[in-house]
Amino acid sequence: MRLRGLHRVLVFLIAALAPFSIDHPVAASSGSGAGSTACPKDDSGLKLPPGFCATIFADGIGHARHMVVAPNGVVYVNTWSGDYYPPNQPAPEGGFLVALQDKSGSAKADVIQRFGETAKTGAAGGTGIALYNGSIYAEVNDRIVRYALPPGALVPTGQAVTVVSGLPLGGDHPMHPFVITSDGTLYVDVGTATNACQLKNRQLHSPGAQPCTELETRGGIWKYDAKKTDQKFSPADRYATGIRNGEGFGVDPSSHRLYVTQHGRDQLHANWPELYKPEEEATLPSETVLLLKQGGDYGWPECYYDPGQAKLVLAPEYGGDGGHAVGVCASKTGPVAVTPAHWAPNGMVFYNQKQFPSRYDNGVFIAFHGSWDRAPYAQGGYNIVFQSLAGPLPPASCEVFADGFAGSAVSPEGAIHRPSGVAVGPDGSLYVSDDMKGTIYKITYVGGPATATGPQFTPCPSLTAGAGEIARAEAKPPEGTHPDAGAAALPVPPGATQEMVALGDQIYHGEVAGGTCTACHGENATGSPLGPDLTKNKFLWSDGSWAGITKTITDGVSLPKEYRSPMPAMGGSQLTPEQASAVGAYIWALSHR
């Protein structure tokens, strides 16, 4: 059996990345990076603009999601063990909330203390976290709770009180990020349960619900009072609608404008192959930053943002024709900033301090968790981007500020780290959380040769750039390359041929028929947070026979038993029966090698 190579990094990153270690990347910053004289403590492996340094502030704290930094420099993190991650992963010992303190000034957290609800009490942690009026607010399961923080204490000593309960759970986006503004208003994101409000979620040619009743309780921002307790989630408290998944909030402290990121929809080609080319699966639609206004309607599920036309266009589930028709989208509110498709903006923070150069004034740092729906083309994101919001909108292209988190395998199944949250400390340092290894990074500016002119920076890729080549590196035999290493051929299911298995291999990896299997099951079919390992001979929807696997591929899986996202019929590709049978033979072979 040949092992499948890892995804190639996007062209604009390749020249910048150096080799990586097993646990953490070791690529140097192009300026004052890891191991340099200017950054003697830089052990992060991140690529940063000249003049910036980074350290691993903490490590191994669980699936770290959003963060907030107290005026005294203590970092508070919410961690999560929900359905977003592969099943059967153990939760961390202790509470899901973590306090991190650097008492020695080493840029490392030398005090780490967990608190809050635990897995033993039925909690699964959460994403959202905030500080307001001397208390810590955190998401846990379907609630936002509040812990009083005594003066001088590192962690709360009393029990939490419930601020809001009954937030919707389940579906594609079960998390509840939130922000609290200076007047005590609590804004909560309630992401959608589906991709595009189809009658059958993520299924081929399934139309959109008319009306989309999901919008009554999902797909928007809800407004509450952080000073009150025991508020109940209600459709009547919706502040804005038409937002598929708004995970990152940013508040401009000068204008008090409130911004939110949005994850664009998925699977335009997979669900509507006659309207969209295979490469448009990777390039449409854009991720966006929205300026929140009360009563605003930002278009989901009827609309998506087409970067080539720089406007909202009608979705195919609601009568769209592949990007030409506008329809009701003419009356929806578009974005104020746009970033590349499927990068997955998971956290955002407005930079309001003075440590960084002035070019970072009046803008936001965004944590991009990284794509999956660009497969079989090279994935993107897995980085920190700076987006200016100064001047007339829409703003200029964004900047890739920090990169190298994923390591050499820029894919859901191969990434070592995936950025999830960002926060700014009182000294102006930028903190980044990673929800794979539970790593917290601290990024500081130390100045240098670029101080006078401002740091050099890497612009984001063009929004209208093509998908590139199919990302499949040269395969190598598992025995290695020594003289005795033979070709380990895959077994062949009874009744099939080696040629069928080889064709299934090509389809699986997107080289034939626009196959997109690697998006969820990984380049090596060993699984990812989106889909199971296909090499373990464990099949929940068939008996594991060639015929059974082929039937599952043909029919799809509309209601997964262990993963939250369904699989479209034919895996979202236009396969012939013979091609589906070939993929089935290949999967059978992988599970019997």
Side-chain angles (χ1 to χ4, degrees), residues 231-320:
Q231 299 166 94
K232 306 295 183 184
F233 175 80
S234 168
D237 297 318
R238 186 177 63 193
Y239 180 79
T241 191
I243 302 171
R244 183 174 175 270
N245 185 27
E247 287 205 42
F249 289 93
V251 182
D252 182 339
S254 298
S255 67
H256 303 292
R257 288 180 173 179
L258 177 60
Y259 298 90
V260 68
T261 61
Q262 176 173 225
H263 287 224
R265 59 160 297 157
D266 305 320
Q267 298 174 301
L268 283 170
H269 168 73
N271 289 167
W272 304 93
E274 69 284 350
L275 296 178
Y276 299 91
K277 300 174 183 178
E279 57 267 27
E280 289 179 312
E281 182 88 352
T283 60
L284 292 175
S286 296
E287 312 286 44
T288 56
V289 177
L290 309 173
L291 174 59
L292 278 178
K293 295 182 179 180
Q294 186 164 8
D297 184 343
Y298 298 89
W300 185 90
E302 297 162 304
C303 313
Y304 67 87
Y305 189 85
D306 184 316
Q309 302 181 71
K311 65 180 182 182
L312 295 173
V313 297
L314 198 60
E317 292 82 4
Y318 291 88

Side-chain angles (χ1 to χ4, degrees), residues 62 71 97 157 207 244 254 258 305 333 352 379 394 396 437 484 497 538:
L97 297 170
T157 55
R244 183 174 175 270
S254 298
L258 177 60
Y305 189 85
T333 301
N352 61 346
Q379 301 289 358
K437 299 288 188 180
D484 297 327
T497 65
K538 176 186 176 183

